[in-house]
């Protein structure tokens, strides 16, 4: 069977599955005709609400680490979610486009990313009337990273992916019983926990928790690195801590 024939068959299966529980597995199979991937985790995002779990193909024995831990709080530091909340995201992105400098040294990496055993991750966003679907596609340790060609192929079929999702979720709208929990954001959590910090210090805390170095924060906020370091010392002193790990805790 040729590649084009396989793509047509998978697309036909995805179309037939619209409105059924088989839709997302069929959609992912269609997407794999553009670029291979192993892991898949689909959630529904809204700027002011908790993420809603939609689908995943994670093995049962790994769910507490991969799914539950992300839904609990790791999503707050997920570089793709941060990009979505800031409004600076593309329909299809790879991790290198959004990860902060020194990503492997961040709390998000140490408490979550390392444990999920991903080599690389690609995000596909689909805008719906009142929310956005976030499809996280993963390649595991030992596999190749996503290439520019992989990114281009997913971008080419993104209009088809969006049309399929629009039809499926239009037929199966989010009910009040499926709605995610109350409003939540990293900013509101910091304000509650970090009383006594100035607005600038809270802003710097947000960037620290997301994995940015003092140099990166200086560029983002148009400050000198020395000024950022002074703010950082004041933050630690006010909170009675001495490290970024303690800040995260």
């Amino acid at each position: 069977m040729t590649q084009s024939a396989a793509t047509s068959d998978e697309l036909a299966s995805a179309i037939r599955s619209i409105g059924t529980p088989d839709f997302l597995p069929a959609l992912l199979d269609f997407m794999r005709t553009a670029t291979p991937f192993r892991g898949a985790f689909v959630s529904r995002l809204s700027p002011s609400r908790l993420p809603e779990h939609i689908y995943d193909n994670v093995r049962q024995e790994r769910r507490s680490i991969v799914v539950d831990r992300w839904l609990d709080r790791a999503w707050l530091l997920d570089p793709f979610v941060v990009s979505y909340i800031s409004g600076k995201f593309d329909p299809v992105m790879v991790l290198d486009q959004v990860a902060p400098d020194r990503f492997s040294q961040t709390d998000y990496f140490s408490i979550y990313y390392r444990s999920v055993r991903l080599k690389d991750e690609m995000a596909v966003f689909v805008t719906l009337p009142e929310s956005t679907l976030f499809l996280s596609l993963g390649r595991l340790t030992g596999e190749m990273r996503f290439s520019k060609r992989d990114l281009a192929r997913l971008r080419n079929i993104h209009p088809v992916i969006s049309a399929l999702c629009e039809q499926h979720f239009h037929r199966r709208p989010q009910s009040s019983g499926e709605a995610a929990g109350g409003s939540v954001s990293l900013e509101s959590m910091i304000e509650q926990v970090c009383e006594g910090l100035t607005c600038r210090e809270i802003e710097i805390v947000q960037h620290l928790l997301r994995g940015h170095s003092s140099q990166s924060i200086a560029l983002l906020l148009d400050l000198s690195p020395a000024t950022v370091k002074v703010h950082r010392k004041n933050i630690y002193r006010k909170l009675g801590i001495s490290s970024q790990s303690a800040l995260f805790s």
Side-chain angles (χ1 to χ4, degrees), residues 154-170:
L154 258 296
R155 284 175 173 166
N156 285 340
I157 66 168
H158 187 271
V160 179
I161 296 169
S162 293
L164 291 168
C165 289
E166 288 164 7
Q167 290 299 310
H168 175 75
F169 288 96
H170 173 72

Side-chain angles (χ1 to χ4, degrees), residues 18-166:
I18 289 174
T20 76
D22 296 326
F23 172 71
L24 281 171
L27 175 68
L28 292 167
D29 284 341
F30 166 62
M31 293 167 66
R32 288 188 180 95
T33 64
T35 182
F37 55 87
R38 187 86 62 88
F41 184 3
V42 183
S43 58
R44 192 196 304 255
L45 303 179
S46 178
S48 61
R49 303 190 71 84
L50 292 168
E52 176 194 356
H53 174 267
I54 300 293
Y55 172 84
D56 68 79
N57 64 357
V58 179
R59 300 195 310 272
Q60 184 61 38
E61 65 270 21
R62 297 271 299 156
R63 289 186 61 79
S64 63
I65 295 174
V66 179
V67 179
D68 297 342
R69 188 178 295 178
W70 189 88
L71 291 170
D72 177 38
R73 66 180 63 185
W75 66 270
L76 284 162
L77 303 180
D78 187 317
F80 289 115
V81 178
V82 171
S83 296
Y84 163 74
I85 292 174
S86 68
K88 300 175 182 178
F89 67 97
D90 295 328
V92 184
M93 307 175 75
V94 292
L95 184 62
D96 281 346
Q97 294 177 263
V98 295
D101 63 330
R102 303 180 184 178
F103 176 65
S104 63
Q105 300 175 31
T106 64
D107 287 299
Y108 179 73
F109 185 90
S110 63
I111 68 167
Y112 180 73
Y113 213 79
R114 180 186 289 124
S115 62
V116 300
R117 305 171 187 168
L118 287 182
K119 176 70 172 183
D120 201 5
E121 184 179 6
M122 181 183 289
V124 177
F125 293 99
V126 176
T127 302
L128 300 175
E130 297 180 358
S131 60
T132 298
L133 285 182
F134 168 34
L135 296 89
S136 169
L137 315 177
R139 286 185 176 172
L140 306 184
T141 302
E143 298 177 340
M144 298 289 290
R145 298 180 68 87
F146 288 109
S147 66
K148 291 182 178 179
R149 176 178 290 186
D150 293 323
L151 190 63
R153 286 174 173 172
L154 258 296
R155 284 175 173 166
N156 285 340
I157 66 168
H158 187 271
V160 179
I161 296 169
S162 293
L164 291 168
C165 289
E166 288 164 7

